[in-house]
Amino acid sequence: MSEISVAIAGAGLSGLCLAHSLLRAGFDVQIYERDPEPHIRRQGYRISVDEHGIAALQRCLPPHLFKLFLATASPTDKASYFRVTNQELGEVFRLTFKGDPSGADLRTPRQVDRQTLRAIMLEGLQDRVHYGKEVLRAETTSDGATLHFSDGSCIRASLVVGADGVNSVLRKQLLPDCEPDDTSSWGIYGRSLLFHKGRSLVPRPLETSGVFAIGPSGRGFFFTAMRFGEAPQTAFARLGVNQAPPINDDYVMWGILLPKEQFPEHQEKLGAEALQRLAQEAVRDFHPVVQRFVERADVDYTMPVRFRVAKKPDMWPVSRVVFMGDAVHVMPPTGAHGGNTALRDAALLADKLEAIAIQGETLEWAILSYQEGMSKYAFREVEASKTMMKRFSIKNPLMSWVMLRAIPWMRSFTNKSLTIE
């Protein structure tokens, strides 16, 4: 395997996950990241890792790093819920997820902090991640590919993996007809410390819930608490990891869904304070609990998000450049499958590449087999997320009244425990 060199463009979750697996299998792996240092840019907060994501991490990470992932993930001892409510937090419906007091059932979803998980996966790869390496283009041949960087340098590898996110320059070059579509909604993400003056910002009836509150005029508000099972600083030290955990305190992750026409022009260039003011205006007629999340936010962590939907390639050439994650199948956050699908990509590609030695397959077979397998599950999740986002945008007045007024009113008589003061 040392004869096959792999260059990964992008040191996000999927790129690092793949690198660990290939490095353990004996491949020559290098990772090229455009950011000048690991945690300079906000890339989201709490994510939900399902059975596919957990299986991918277990398959790819060294055992002590997988233990660290489990240790810092949210506790699983209580049942958890996904609730859809109106703007006053009146419940429309909920989905229930059984708890696992033992924490041993790896099919039970975990909530993890994205930056903490990334720090975990940087461990052991310090000398293989090269920062400040912005990819400009790739040149492919029958036996490899050359990556060109903005600093004038270039490298050649047997295989290049494009894990460089939704704005991937490699996808734009090699799959020019697959530029993702904008959805009709954009978002603002934020973070607020869970405890304020010793009290939790999340009411007790919602402490193990993810909540999506549907508001008027196409607005929506999602929130959930990120509680660490073990404080990252303690867990990192206990398991001998040299990375410094970027986050140590429990927090509330929240996101606002807005029709994109309600954003100012050039919204991606808005500063955190301007976004914070926009967020406060957007939730002025939501429940006071929702308003408190925004009022007590860590302003520096407020960021804009464009929700985009990938296009499946009509023809997918087998070349020495392959893609993973948002670079090829970006999807809206509804459904919480984006990160899991990216991790699943990493595990699948690792399987196919390792089969070259184990089963005597060719690199071309591995690339083709990966692309065929990934496209089946990934674009199914893209469509599911797209459909769910449309369902959260209720435009029919009668349906809106039934969903957001009549149903919560009727449920209030049978679900007094959910009354939020």
Side-chain angles (χ1 to χ4, degrees):
M1 291 298 95
S2 61
E3 297 177 358
I4 299 178
S5 56
V6 179
I8 301 173
L13 299 184
S14 62
L16 296 174
C17 189
L18 174 66
H20 273 291
S21 184
L22 297 184
L23 186 61
R24 293 169 69 198
F27 287 81
D28 176 13
V29 183
Q30 302 292 330
I31 308 162
Y32 301 90
E33 169 57 49
R34 67 179 180 178
D35 288 345
E37 55 186 77
H39 303 298
I40 195 170
R41 182 165 50 95
R42 311 298 183 200
Q43 294 179 291
Y45 307 117
R46 183 227 61 126
I47 60 174
S48 180
V49 185
D50 64 17
E51 61 182 301
H52 297 296
I54 294 170
L57 291 170
Q58 185 179 32
R59 184 247 181 270
C60 294
L61 297 185
H64 73 292
L65 295 185
F66 183 69
K67 289 180 181 178
L68 185 54
F69 152 71
L70 293 178
T72 55
S74 61
T76 61
D77 53 332
K78 298 179 181 178
S80 59
Y81 307 91
F82 175 70
R83 304 179 191 267
V84 173
T85 73
N86 62 16
Q87 69 197 69
E88 290 296 328
L89 299 183
E91 187 173 279
V92 178
F93 71 86
R94 70 175 176 226
L95 301 175
T96 303
F97 304 92
K98 292 178 62 177
D100 173 30
S102 72
D105 187 350
L106 298 182
R107 296 169 298 178
T108 303
R110 268 81 169 165
Q111 318 308 318
V112 298
D113 174 67
R114 187 186 188 99
Q115 289 180 287
T116 300
L117 180 56
R118 187 164 181 247
I120 290 170
M121 292 202 287
L122 282 168
E123 179 70 10
L125 299 176
Q126 292 94 323
D127 60 342
R128 294 180 179 272
V129 181
H130 309 279
Y131 295 100
K133 305 296 284 187
E134 182 181 2
V135 175
L136 293 181
R137 69 183 189 279
E139 295 175 352
T140 62
T141 63
S142 60
D143 62 350
T146 301
L147 276 180
H148 294 265
F149 302 99
S150 60
D151 61 7
S153 64
C154 63
I155 60 97
R156 183 168 177 80
S158 307
L159 179 68
V160 166
V161 179
D164 48 344
V166 62
N167 296 312
S168 170
V169 296
L170 295 177
R171 184 201 64 243
K172 292 177 182 178
Q173 175 195 348
L174 300 172
L175 297 173
D177 297 330
C178 294
E179 187 67 9
D181 291 324
D182 264 339
T183 67
S184 60
S185 298
W186 290 350
I188 301 172
Y189 282 179
R191 194 191 79 169
S192 309
L193 291 181
L194 180 59
F195 293 98
H196 180 77
K197 296 182 179 180
R199 295 186 61 186
S200 173
L201 289 185
V202 177
R204 184 174 294 277
L206 300 178
E207 63 181 4
T208 62
S209 295
V211 178
F212 186 85
I214 302 175
S217 305
R219 283 175 285 154
F221 190 94
F222 174 80
F223 67 89
T224 190
M226 175 62 225
R227 293 180 174 86
F228 293 102
E230 182 178 354
Q233 191 170 15
T234 303
F236 276 49
R238 178 171 62 82
L239 288 166
V241 170
N242 295 318
Q243 300 295 310
I247 304 291
N248 279 295
D249 296 314
D250 296 343
Y251 62 87
V252 178
M253 178 267 177
W254 53 263
I256 300 174
L257 184 73
L258 291 171
K260 63 182 180 182
E261 60 268 19
Q262 294 185 21
F263 275 83
E265 292 185 16
H266 312 298
Q267 58 93 13
E268 290 179 310
K269 297 181 181 179
L270 290 177
E273 292 184 358
L275 284 168
Q276 183 72 8
R277 290 193 295 271
L278 180 59
Q280 289 177 326
E281 177 65 19
V283 300
R284 69 185 186 281
D285 49 3
F286 279 70
H287 193 282
V289 165
V290 170
Q291 296 178 36
R292 281 199 295 271
F293 294 146
V294 179
E295 290 167 1
R296 295 173 181 169
D298 185 335
V299 176
D300 290 341
Y301 280 80
T302 307
M303 65 181 190
V305 184
R306 290 173 64 186
F307 299 134
R308 306 176 74 185
V309 179
K311 296 178 184 176
K312 185 176 181 179
D314 293 328
M315 295 185 63
W316 205 323
V318 176
S319 77
R320 291 301 180 96
V321 178
V322 298
F323 295 94
M324 295 194 307
D326 284 353
V328 65
H329 51 63
V330 66
M331 63 189 77
T334 42
H337 293 302
N340 289 292
T341 308
L343 293 173
R344 193 173 179 181
D345 294 348
L348 177 62
L349 183 54
D351 282 341
K352 300 304 180 183
L353 292 176
E354 291 175 27
I356 294 172
I358 297 171
Q359 302 173 18
E361 301 289 357
T362 64
L363 186 52
E364 286 68 27
W365 172 88
I367 295 168
L368 175 61
S369 184
Y370 162 73
Q371 290 180 169
E372 289 179 343
M374 178 267 285
S375 64
K376 290 178 181 178
Y377 62 76
F379 288 96
R380 183 171 62 243
E381 298 295 358
V382 169
E383 289 303 313
S385 297
K386 181 179 177 181
T387 299
M388 188 174 292
M389 175 166 275
K390 288 182 178 179
R391 289 175 178 170
F392 284 154
S393 302
I394 304 172
K395 296 181 179 179
N396 182 290
L398 177 60
M399 182 62 71
S400 177
W401 180 84
V402 171
M403 286 282 289
L404 304 182
R405 294 299 171 196
I407 293 178
W409 178 77
M410 290 186 290
R411 288 184 67 88
S412 68
F413 292 101
T414 59
N415 197 18
K416 293 288 186 181
S417 64
L418 192 58
T419 303
I420 309 301
E421 302 297 337

